Amino acid sequence: METKIFNPQQENNAIAEAAEILRRGGLVGIPTETVYGLGADGLNEDAVRRIFEAKGRPQDNPLILHVPSADWLERYCQRVPPAAYALAEKFWPGPLTMILPRRECVPLRTTGGLDTVGVRCPDHAVTLRIIEAAGVPVAAPSGNTSGRPSPTTAAHMIEDMSGKIDAIVDGGSCQVGVESTIIDLTTTPPRLLRPGGLPLEALEEVLGEVAVDKAVRTRLAEGEKPRAPGMKYRHYAPKAPVTVVTGSPQRSAAYILGRVQSGDGVICFDEFAALFGGCTVQRLGGASDKAAQAQRVFDALRAFDETNVGRIYAQCPDEAGLGLAVSNRLKKAAGFCVEDAGCGPIFGLTGGTGAGKTSALRALERLGGCIIDADALYHEMLRGENAMKRAILAAFGDVFLPDGTLDRQKLGNVVFRNPEAMAQLNAIVYAHLVPEAARRAEGHELVGFDAINLIESGMASLCCRTVGVIAPAEVRVKRIMARDGIDEGYARMRIAAQRADDYYYQNCTDVLENNEATPQDFEEKALAFFARLIKEETNHE
Ligand code: TXA
Ligand code: MG
């Protein structure tokens, strides 16, 4: 069968033709604000049967009826409670499906044999006009082949359904990106069967208490029956196995970074994309932009099918707002293979010599922090036998001494005169050092990364806060003269070669100024400072 592609923006009669195909019992891919649907006349058993065939969908998985307004509810549902009208008034057209008792006119084939039926009014002008022109309720599951991620563009729809259905209407990419929220209004209290484009919190505002079906957050046991039959199938799944990592964005990024190997796939929030060089990365949107994450999630999952990644790690948002739907789709794609990275704060500290970073670190340690010193870690790794050393060897030749330690002079000769070589060395070091630091942070509730190149290395993106420790130049000169036994001229030269305070104000989330008379006084100040940061970071999570 040849599948017609309609473009309603360019073709005047696209809507009328699509409606005509539906009336004749044909199948049409339709755009909605959530995902593309595979539509047919929901009262026509033959047409509905062909939906199941085209999708390869199990017959017991019911379809949703799409209607143009709440006025149509009584035609297909009975005993419609006032709550249904209250919800429709507030959220239709929109990403909400209501489960209500079915009227006889709705075939059991449509409802998968159930006495209830799901109804929704989609928020897409083109599709509303098609349904009105067709004059029939349009049964439409998501337009994907059963088991694949739902289509959020006409191209996805064509990928799965070309040659199998009569037409596809191109209505652009879907604004919401995850399917509708399904609420069962036949039980008391009403029950959320599937989280979706309308947040649970919005339903609770209208309905009061809402029960959340077990299948939303957990894998059902063998033989256990979900209330939305569709929730039992492994779903939205790319070909490669997926592991979902929960926890704060920084913790889940660190957790994944500590585990991925080159060639793996990663779905991550935008802020962390640069960390995963060597992996195939799909960005999910900003860590706090759940609307973007909902829009992106299926496209991100689908994109991996064109690659041959061996496995996929995915960062998971928290469950507030649209996060519940995004996290549910990711977890279903993973067959509920979920690992938790924790939420304890990681702070990054940086600062020039003599500014007081060591005192600040001591304060963090007194609060129970595990300090990871990047420079010490680098030297430890140089002593061992590992990938970083092999990469240095490959790039710079044998710059190691017979005992295996670094010949600093030899390497220095290469990199100090050549900025490109320096950049290459840094890239190698950061690519190995940052994942190692991430691994060492695991399991510690409170962590401090101590790194001169906190920002440049990418380590900063694993930190919920980055703190620049600064002090007046005069104070620093005196301090390092006393500490390192050097003369004033040399001390000034060393400090002049370092970053100006501006750098810390521009690149760190916080600046800790050391104007105190003694290191002890500064340590006490730092103690109060970190206590406040910890409180702020643990309260909003
Ligand atoms: O956003 C959406 O809802 C999209 C677009 C196309 O409107 N449609 C969609 O349909 O996601 P589908 O068939 O892929 O998912 C419908 C889900 C399935 O999990 C199904 O089991 C459940 O709704 N469902 C449908 N009727 C039901 C009923 N009477 N009782 C319980 N669950 C029902
Ligand atoms: Mg579906």
Side-chain angles (χ1 to χ4, degrees):
M1 167 187 309
E2 196 204 320
T3 303
K4 278 191 201 150
I5 310 296
F6 291 131
N7 195 325
Q9 278 187 325
Q10 282 149 29
E11 302 149 12
N12 290 330
N13 53 352
I15 287 172
E17 282 189 46
E20 181 54 29
I21 295 173
L22 289 171
R23 252 197 319 271
R24 282 201 327 259
L27 302 188
V28 181
I30 51 170
T32 84
E33 82 283 27
T34 57
V35 301
Y36 272 73
L38 174 49
D41 175 355
L43 304 182
N44 177 335
E45 287 206 40
D46 266 348
V48 168
R49 182 175 46 74
R50 283 198 294 276
I51 290 182
F52 286 95
E53 284 169 9
K55 269 183 75 85
R57 174 165 173 144
Q59 299 282 341
D60 68 344
N61 195 356
L63 307 180
I64 295 170
L65 287 185
H66 294 68
V67 298
S69 76
D71 297 343
W72 286 33
L73 273 176
E74 294 285 343
R75 299 188 193 177
Y76 313 114
C77 311
Q78 41 186 332
R79 301 189 299 280
V80 180
Y85 289 105
L87 289 173
E89 171 74 24
K90 193 139 190 216
F91 301 122
W92 276 8
L96 175 67
T97 296
M98 301 188 235
I99 306 293
L100 293 162
R102 162 185 76 96
R103 272 194 199 283
E104 289 281 313
C105 63
V106 182
L108 284 171
R109 194 178 279 287
T110 302
T111 67
L114 298 174
D115 276 330
T116 55
V117 61
V119 188
R120 104 168 178 100
C121 175
D123 187 12
H124 197 292
V126 169
T127 288
L128 286 175
R129 286 172 61 200
I130 293 173
I131 302 170
E132 264 168 353
V136 295
V138 174
S142 52
N144 51 292
T145 299
S146 201
R148 289 206 76 196
S150 299
T152 53
T153 63
H156 293 162
M157 189 75 213
I158 292 167
E159 201 175 290
D160 282 17
M161 290 299 151
S162 185
K164 295 184 183 164
I165 63 177
D166 299 280
I168 293 169
V169 179
D170 185 344
S173 58
C174 301
Q175 290 302 303
V176 175
V178 290
E179 300 91 336
S180 60
T181 299
I182 303 180
I183 184 86
D184 185 350
L185 294 178
T186 67
T187 60
T188 315
R191 180 176 289 264
L192 178 81
L193 301 187
R194 177 177 75 181
L198 185 72
L200 171 61
E201 294 89 334
L203 286 176
E204 286 169 337
E205 268 177 36
V206 175
L207 298 173
E209 188 193 355
V210 174
V212 176
D213 202 62
K214 202 175 149 196
V216 169
R217 295 197 173 100
T218 50
R219 189 202 328 243
L220 293 174
E222 196 78 38
E224 203 171 351
K225 250 190 158 159
R227 290 172 200 247
M231 294 291 274
K232 76 176 165 239
Y233 300 104
R234 177 155 187 247
H235 204 185
Y236 316 125
K239 288 167 195 148
V242 181
T243 304
V244 169
V245 182
T246 57
S248 72
Q250 290 80 20
R251 285 291 186 164
S252 58
Y255 186 95
I256 294 171
L257 188 63
R259 281 169 177 68
V260 281
Q261 286 158 11
S262 75
D264 285 346
V266 175
I267 297 177
C268 68
F269 303 129
D270 293 355
E271 293 89 330
F272 305 99
L275 287 171
F276 300 103
C279 296
T280 304
V281 174
Q282 281 293 319
R283 292 163 173 248
L284 198 53
S288 56
D289 187 353
K290 289 178 177 155
Q293 295 164 24
Q295 249 173 21
R296 286 280 309 131
V297 65
F298 284 132
D299 191 49
L301 288 167
R302 205 171 253 267
F304 284 111
D305 283 347
E306 267 108 66
T307 69
N308 45 17
V309 298
R311 52 182 188 167
I312 300 165
Y313 279 100
Q315 281 193 280
C316 188
D318 66 63
E319 292 186 342
L322 287 175
L324 186 61
V326 175
S327 116
N328 167 269
R329 300 308 186 272
L330 288 171
K331 288 173 183 173
K332 287 199 74 176
F336 286 93
C337 173
V338 180
E339 295 173 14
D340 184 43
C343 282
I346 301 177
F347 295 116
L349 270 84
T350 186
T353 181
K357 190 159 58 88
T358 312
S359 304
L361 286 164
R362 212 161 27 234
L364 195 56
E365 226 170 357
R366 277 168 62 193
L367 291 164
C370 157
I371 306 300
I372 296 167
D373 176 340
D375 196 48
L377 187 56
Y378 169 60
H379 286 103
E380 181 192 321
M381 288 169 72
L382 280 177
R383 286 192 300 273
E385 187 41 58
N386 55 51
M388 181 180 84
K389 263 178 96 165
R390 286 192 292 278
I392 292 176
L393 210 66
F396 299 102
D398 194 358
V399 288
F400 295 93
L401 295 166
D403 66 358
T405 61
L406 189 70
D407 186 337
R408 290 193 197 206
Q409 215 172 355
K410 208 163 166 189
L411 184 62
N413 278 341
V414 183
V415 296
F416 286 129
R417 271 187 258 117
N418 179 348
E420 260 170 49
M422 184 58 125
Q424 191 189 2
L425 176 65
N426 282 338
I428 292 172
V429 172
Y430 299 157
H432 294 89
L433 189 70
V434 184
E436 184 57 30
R439 278 188 284 274
R440 297 196 182 198
E442 252 179 51
H444 297 282
E445 267 304 304
L446 175 64
V447 174
F449 283 158
D450 166 14
I452 297 280
N453 291 325
L454 185 72
I455 312 290
E456 296 69 16
S457 64
M459 236 180 213
S461 58
L462 300 179
C463 304
C464 58
R465 303 282 271 266
T466 50
V467 179
V469 182
I470 64 169
E474 291 312 309
V475 178
R476 289 172 65 194
V477 167
K478 287 205 189 85
R479 258 194 226 130
I480 67 170
M481 282 168 64
R483 186 187 71 193
D484 302 343
I486 55 179
D487 66 33
E488 188 180 333
Y490 187 55
R492 285 194 188 282
M493 201 181 78
R494 268 180 64 190
I495 285 170
Q498 294 190 345
R499 293 165 177 135
D501 290 355
D502 262 3
Y503 169 90
Y504 300 102
Y505 280 108
Q506 277 160 21
N507 292 292
C508 297
T509 62
D510 300 81
V511 169
L512 178 59
E513 278 184 69
N514 178 1
N515 294 316
E516 320 309 301
T518 68
Q520 289 73 24
D521 289 350
F522 178 58
E523 196 177 311
E524 292 313 309
K525 178 182 178 178
L527 198 69
F529 169 85
F530 281 117
R532 173 171 65 80
L533 258 51
I534 291 166
K535 209 161 167 194
E536 286 171 11
E537 288 306 312
T538 35
N539 279 350
H540 72 61
E541 269 163 16

